[in-house]
Amino acid sequence: MSHRFFDFAGLDPLDRYKILSGAILPRPIALVTTLNAEGRPNAAPFSFFGVLDHDPAVVALGISRHPDGRLKDTVANIRETGEFIVHIPDRALAEAVEITASPVGPEIDELSLAGLEHQPGQTVASPRILSAPVALECHLHSTVPISTTREILIGRISAAFIRAEAVGDRLHIDPRQIDAIGRLGGKNYCSTRDLFAVAST
């Protein structure tokens, strides 16, 4: 089996992005909702995202700036309020994920644009998307500047909503009931319905 070698020191940022976003697969999608200081809602998906720990329970979002250097609305809102909700979208929400990714101004409500019903969270004021199988209510824990164009936001999970039929008596979650989608390269997504188990040795 042959491989191509890439020295990241010799690649420009766009080529590094293409390699990483095309090779680290599938990436979970965080459909993040926030409010600004005036209470205007915002929703946007991010696939540079992951869970980091359970004690304390924290998730991380890697969010870049706009090409002109402006903060994205999600970052600006989290900085203002210290709150956000991470939703795990299922296959039924795939189109809404694409709609909320549209490059619109901060005055546009992406939740209304995508036709997503919502209500305030329990422990945060950010809107919770009612059809999402998973919603993690988060308070900003810390930020880690990576470069002039990207930072990592770490959120402490204060509460979770999980689709009821997906949660067993021992709190094991049935991934088939979550039906999460994953991000691939470009506009491509995948389903997590194709499950298999590997016997332990």
Side-chain angles (χ1 to χ4, degrees):
M1 181 182 295
S2 63
H3 294 80
R4 289 183 63 185
F5 171 75
F6 298 93
D7 184 349
F8 271 39
L11 293 176
D12 67 42
L14 179 58
D15 288 337
R16 292 197 296 266
Y17 173 82
K18 287 189 289 187
I19 288 174
L20 292 175
S21 64
I24 299 177
L25 304 173
R27 296 188 308 282
I29 300 167
L31 181 51
V32 180
T33 55
T34 57
L35 294 174
N36 70 5
E38 288 74 45
R40 185 185 303 117
N42 177 264
F46 301 94
S47 64
F48 280 30
F49 151 71
V51 61
L52 298 185
D53 202 357
H54 68 284
D55 188 21
V58 292
V59 292
L61 303 168
I63 304 180
S64 63
R65 289 178 177 256
H66 287 291
D68 63 5
R70 290 179 297 115
L71 288 176
K72 290 192 173 174
D73 296 337
T74 298
V75 175
N77 293 351
I78 293 173
R79 285 186 179 183
E80 285 182 346
T81 67
E83 298 181 350
F84 59 101
I85 298 182
V86 168
H87 303 82
I88 304 300
D90 59 8
R91 179 65 183 83
L93 285 170
E95 184 177 349
V97 167
E98 277 295 309
I99 292 172
T100 59
S102 302
V104 297
E107 73 283 357
I108 301 298
D109 175 1
E110 291 90 351
L111 292 168
S112 295
L113 199 64
L116 295 171
E117 291 188 56
H118 56 89
Q119 64 185 34
Q122 289 285 110
T123 63
V124 300
S126 300
R128 178 172 70 89
I129 298 170
L130 299 180
S131 58
V134 176
L136 306 175
E137 299 187 356
C138 300
H139 291 85
L140 180 62
H141 176 281
S142 54
T143 61
V144 182
I146 298 300
S147 68
T148 58
T149 61
R150 184 177 291 272
E151 62 186 272
I152 295 174
L153 287 78
I154 298 174
R156 177 178 55 81
I157 303 170
S158 55
F161 283 87
I162 310 291
R163 183 172 285 161
E165 57 267 32
V167 185
D169 292 339
R170 299 179 60 198
L171 302 187
H172 293 145
I173 294 177
D174 183 350
R176 291 164 296 194
Q177 295 293 335
I178 300 297
D179 194 21
I181 55 175
R183 184 72 188 274
L184 305 176
K187 294 283 188 179
N188 297 311
Y189 295 84
C190 69
S191 168
T192 55
R193 285 278 183 171
D194 184 14
L195 307 181
F196 65 92
V198 177
S200 57
T201 55

